[in-house]
Amino acid sequence: MEEIEHKKLSINGLTMHVAELGQGPIILFLHGFPECWYTWRHQIIFFASHGYRAVAPDLRGYADTTGAPTEDPSKFTTMYVVGDLVALIDAVAPPNEKVFVVGHDWGAMIAWSLCLYRPDKVNALVNMSVAFTRRNPSKKPIEGLRGVYGDEYYICRFQEPGHIEEEFARIGTKNVLKNILTYCNPGPLYLPKDKAFPDTPISLPSWLSEEDLDYYASKYDAAGFTGALNYYRSLDLNWELTAPWTGAQVKVPTKFIVGDLDLTYNAPGAKDYIQKGGFKRDVPSLGDIVVMEGVAHFIHEEKPDEVNAHIHSFFNKCSSSYCSAL
């Protein structure tokens, strides 16, 4: 881990922290919630040793990236975050050179948006956990989620600024992160009001050490949760802003990886969409769909060797003529 380089870059009005290692074609790694660059530590070291330059930023509002107004959720739409990434690509890549992109969770959602808005910046994409979501012009996202899951569903609980932050403060940062990072129930995550998590002791899985958990906790203790939660609070505004892309396809060559125990894969209608043609309709250059057995949400940390192999093989193919044929 000591060999990973850490930089602060002036990006789109932010001071963006970036972890990177290696020389060669750039792979941009985009983290989700409740993570930061550190979630990609296994991938950074692997791909740097296999001829790539691995670049993993802390996204707007997370960890050591500063400058975003966390009191204003409207500054966390995909327009702003994709703007950050375009500026980052311009800063780290040679002129007119495309990058490879890997995303997980919110990072996957941002990667879909990057590929939708600026496909000229992306050579190929590997996304994990969160499939592309076609915009529904007749219903806002939060209304739809409340209708399916109710008010205690975690995304619904995240909506009102300040409330869940106060509850997380009472529970303690490390306990909050431990509960979320070890969640392996394929069913939806509910956070009952004033009792978000049970008192049952949690044993850490083999892939998550106390040292790892302490690192994450130190970053959230310093930066708080609000910046990260603002991504959820901007969902309806994203819906409003993306009306021009209703029905648009993501045409970047793509591979998708998900665990069979992931709550996203087990959401109503998700398996049918992924496996029965809807996903391919919306992402026509979709190549392989990999469903890994016995794996939950944090797939790249749970099974890093397998995930690295899948990413490596796909990007190697995309460095040849394979992707142009998709």
Side-chain angles (χ1 to χ4, degrees), residues 42-43 46 207 299-309:
H42 306 297
Q43 285 71 39
F46 175 88
W207 58 268
I299 187 168
H300 58 296
E301 295 206 58
E302 295 178 57
K303 299 288 185 180
D305 292 343
E306 292 178 45
V307 167
N308 290 347

Side-chain angles (χ1 to χ4, degrees), residues 155-213:
I155 294 177
C156 299
R157 287 276 277 120
F158 287 172
Q159 291 306 304
E160 192 166 356
H163 282 216
I164 198 71
E165 287 97 325
E166 292 175 5
E167 194 166 335
F168 282 178
R170 291 195 298 271
I171 296 168
T173 301
K174 189 171 180 177
N175 284 332
V176 169
L177 294 171
K178 182 185 291 187
N179 275 274
I180 296 176
L181 290 169
T182 61
Y183 188 82
C184 58
N185 186 336
L189 174 60
Y190 292 102
L191 303 178
K193 196 168 185 180
D194 299 322
K195 190 67 173 176
F197 300 109
D199 295 326
T200 309
I202 297 173
S203 297
L204 294 181
S206 60
W207 58 268
L208 182 67
S209 69
E210 286 286 346
E211 181 182 8
D212 297 333
L213 191 59

Side-chain angles (χ1 to χ4, degrees), residues 104-116:
H104 171 257
D105 186 76
W106 258 107
M109 294 176 68
I110 298 301
W112 291 126
S113 295
L114 172 63
C115 293
L116 195 63

Side-chain angles (χ1 to χ4, degrees), residues 6 11 23 50-51 57 63 66 74 98 124-125 200 207 229 234 243 260 266 305:
H6 295 269
I11 297 293
Q23 298 294 325
H50 284 76
T66 60
S74 72
K98 297 181 179 183
L125 169 67
T200 309
W207 58 268
L229 295 172
S234 66
D260 67 340
N266 290 277
D305 292 343

